Amino acid sequence: MAEFSQKRGKRHDDAVLGSAVDFLLVNARLVLGVGAAAMLGIATLAVKRLIDKATSPRGEDDDAKGESACLEDEWKELSLLKSTPRPQSRPQPAALSQPMSTPAPSSAVPEGPGDTGPWRLPQCGSPAPLCLTFQEKLLAFERDHVAVPAVDVTVAQQLIRDISLELQTFLQNKFPELPFGTLEPGGPLFDGLQAGAADPVRLLLPLQLEPGLWKLVPGADTVARDARCWAVRRTQLEFCPRGSSPWDRFLVGGYLCAQLLLELLRKVLATSVNWPAIGSLLGCLIRPSVTSEELLLEVQQDCWELTIAVLPALTGAGANNHVLLAWPLEGLAGNLWLQDFYQVEATRLRALDDQDAGTRQRLLRLLCCVCYRHPALGRLSRSHLTQVMLHLGEEEVDWAEAALGSRFLQALEKLISSLEQASLPCHFNPSVNLFGDLPEEEIDSIGYVLYSGLQAPEWLLWGGGQPRF
């Protein structure tokens, strides 16, 4: 009887403990959530099992079987507890009218159909990849890398004018005997053809020659046999002997030598001009380039920089108003003057676009920027690309914006064809081959890059990277 009472008291205690566990688990499910309630239930059952083992006498098989059955029932209840969806507290009606912030993306998988309520934002999948046409990619490239803000253009133009004024004053004080004309800023920055930092600013330094004392001789008629150039011969020596003209100091063999004038101005720009003082006055940094044979000034202001090319020139020379530049040429052509076609090229392109509201000038800017950004295409100058545009611009009819991508690919084909023949005739003088000074290795390298770009033009657009103007 006492043993029966003892067992009955033990079962009563077990029932009380089981009821307490059930109550604790139910409340924990509401307060802590399903995950925390499950962990608490496992821990509680483990403690209960240890207490039962410690208090029950050994050898009681019936009690052990009852305990095993009881634990099996409790594990079943715990599994049901874990699979039961937790109730979610719905927001107050007033909160639904407030703007909801987008929840942070979570990698957790929803636990059941009850996890999604009408007040929760739907999970957005990954966006579909954008399939842009080459035309759209070309316009995006133009917007991001080619277009120069109008504010930057205005500031740069004013700065160039200030620098030219300071240089003009210095040259007049340094060489009062040499009749230099007024410095004339120009180039793509002033003609609306600037493509990022692709081209230097042109600063023409005209020489005022005495009329009747100088005569132009075509380069093809000289010992250099160079159709690109002209020789400037001194005449009237019997009436105006050598020394009567201030430019006679640059004579070599009776011809005005461009190389001697370049050497003089290079020394002056590098050593005589106080560029730090001028830069401090104008709020910029000016440095003469000592590595280039050309007369270059590197100008940096705030977050952008540009290059100025000082070009000694003979403007309005001859009956056709040629523009001749003192340019660093090699060999026998070192004493000659290079004929410059920039102004007539820009004028012709502008006239063609005005006729049909075309995009030839836009395409030229795109080509210049692409070649400037790619290291292997750096030898293709603006003159090369402009000549291709002039040939293509008069052959094709459709130059609307919608055809810009097609014209771009046609320009690449035109360049590749010219490189295969190693010949690009000048539009204004077909006897001049603009590819004549390119070595065969460079022609092969440029042709390979352009051919690869023709197969994948997107790679050609985004293959390089240079800071913007």
Side-chain angles (χ1 to χ4, degrees):
M1 186 69 179
E3 182 179 357
F4 174 79
S5 299
Q6 182 178 3
K7 290 182 178 180
R8 184 178 179 182
K10 180 177 181 299
R11 290 172 182 172
H12 177 72
D13 294 340
D14 293 341
V16 172
L17 181 59
S19 300
V21 169
D22 294 340
F23 177 80
L24 178 61
L25 292 178
V26 170
N27 286 274
R29 185 189 314 172
L30 297 177
V31 177
L32 302 177
V34 176
M39 296 300 297
L40 181 61
I42 294 172
T44 304
L45 290 177
V47 173
K48 178 176 178 297
R49 187 173 183 182
L50 291 176
I51 294 175
D52 290 344
K53 285 185 177 181
T55 56
S56 62
R58 296 189 178 184
E60 298 180 358
D61 296 334
D62 296 338
D63 291 343
K65 292 179 180 179
E67 177 184 358
S68 177
C70 182
L71 285 176
E72 183 178 357
D73 294 340
E74 290 173 347
W75 278 109
K76 290 181 179 179
E77 181 181 357
L78 183 59
S79 63
L80 292 176
L81 170 67
K82 187 174 181 181
S83 61
T84 303
R86 66 171 181 261
Q88 298 189 10
S89 58
R90 296 181 177 271
Q92 298 296 329
L96 293 177
S97 62
Q98 300 296 328
M100 298 179 60
S101 59
T102 305
S106 175
S107 59
V109 179
E111 296 177 354
D115 291 337
T116 302
W119 61 87
R120 297 185 61 183
L121 295 178
Q123 298 292 334
C124 298
S126 58
L130 298 178
C131 297
L132 300 178
T133 64
F134 177 68
Q135 171 81 6
E136 294 170 335
K137 295 177 181 178
L138 191 63
L139 294 177
F141 177 82
E142 180 185 32
R143 180 187 64 248
D144 297 337
H145 298 278
V146 180
V148 180
V151 176
D152 291 347
V153 172
T154 303
V155 172
Q157 288 178 348
Q158 184 58 47
L159 180 61
I160 298 304
R161 293 189 180 96
D162 294 339
I163 293 176
S164 64
L165 183 60
E166 294 292 334
L167 183 57
Q168 179 85 48
T169 304
F170 173 83
L171 291 177
Q172 289 177 351
N173 296 332
K174 180 72 174 178
F175 305 106
E177 73 283 1
L178 294 179
F180 287 111
T182 303
L183 283 168
E184 302 175 4
L189 181 64
F190 291 83
D191 295 334
L193 296 175
Q194 186 75 19
D199 299 285
V201 177
R202 294 162 54 93
L203 198 58
L204 291 183
L205 177 60
L207 282 63
Q208 295 179 349
L209 300 181
E210 300 85 354
L213 295 185
W214 307 92
K215 181 181 179 180
L216 296 185
V217 179
D221 297 339
T222 63
V223 293
R225 304 297 183 191
D226 195 333
R228 303 173 301 164
C229 306
W230 292 77
V232 182
R233 188 175 65 186
R234 176 71 155 84
T235 62
Q236 303 291 333
L237 291 176
E238 62 276 11
F239 302 105
C240 299
R242 178 176 296 191
S244 58
S245 171
W247 302 110
D248 287 342
R249 60 187 290 189
F250 303 106
L251 287 180
V252 173
Y255 291 88
L256 184 62
C257 180
Q259 196 68 31
L260 291 180
L261 183 61
L262 279 176
E263 292 176 0
L264 172 67
L265 293 176
R266 185 179 296 110
K267 293 179 181 178
V268 169
L269 294 180
T271 60
S272 300
V273 184
N274 191 354
W275 293 118
I278 296 177
S280 177
L281 177 65
L282 301 179
C284 63
L285 180 62
I286 307 175
R287 296 186 301 265
S289 176
V290 295
T291 59
S292 174
E293 295 183 359
E294 304 174 35
L295 305 180
L296 300 180
L297 301 177
E298 299 172 353
V299 182
Q300 184 176 358
Q301 186 182 51
D302 297 335
C303 298
W304 54 265
E305 60 183 24
L306 52 84
T307 304
I308 302 176
V310 181
L311 304 173
L314 300 176
T315 58
N320 296 324
N321 293 326
H322 296 308
V323 177
L324 306 179
L325 302 179
W327 194 262
L329 300 173
E330 298 179 354
L332 296 176
N335 295 335
L336 304 183
W337 294 71
L338 180 66
Q339 183 173 358
D340 179 45
F341 294 103
Y342 171 79
Q343 198 58 50
V344 292
E345 292 170 347
T347 302
R348 181 57 181 165
L349 275 180
R350 191 179 303 112
L352 290 174
D353 277 347
D354 291 342
Q355 291 176 4
D356 54 11
T359 57
R360 298 170 183 83
Q361 298 175 84
R362 289 179 63 182
L363 181 55
L364 176 60
R365 289 194 295 266
L366 284 166
L367 292 172
C368 288
C369 190
V370 167
C371 293
Y372 177 79
R373 288 166 54 86
H374 201 289
L377 303 180
R379 285 286 288 170
L380 288 178
S381 64
R382 171 176 285 272
S383 180
H384 296 135
L385 301 175
T386 305
Q387 293 295 326
V388 171
M389 286 303 309
L390 288 174
H391 290 294
L392 189 65
E394 296 183 348
E395 296 173 0
E396 296 297 330
V397 177
D398 185 10
W399 282 95
E401 180 179 338
L404 191 60
S406 301
R407 300 290 88 82
F408 182 89
L409 298 178
Q410 281 186 320
L412 295 185
E413 294 175 353
K414 187 74 174 178
L415 274 170
I416 294 173
S417 175
S418 300
L419 288 168
E420 289 176 350
Q421 303 173 8
S423 175
L424 180 60
C426 178
H427 185 269
F428 303 99
N429 187 359
S431 61
V432 176
N433 178 17
L434 298 178
F435 282 161
D437 58 341
L438 289 181
E440 184 178 354
E441 299 80 15
E442 291 187 356
I443 290 180
D444 293 340
S445 176
I446 295 172
Y448 173 76
V449 172
L450 290 178
Y451 182 79
S452 302
L454 189 61
Q455 308 304 314
E458 295 84 359
W459 167 82
L460 193 61
L461 289 180
W462 308 104
Q466 291 290 341
R468 283 182 54 182
F469 166 76

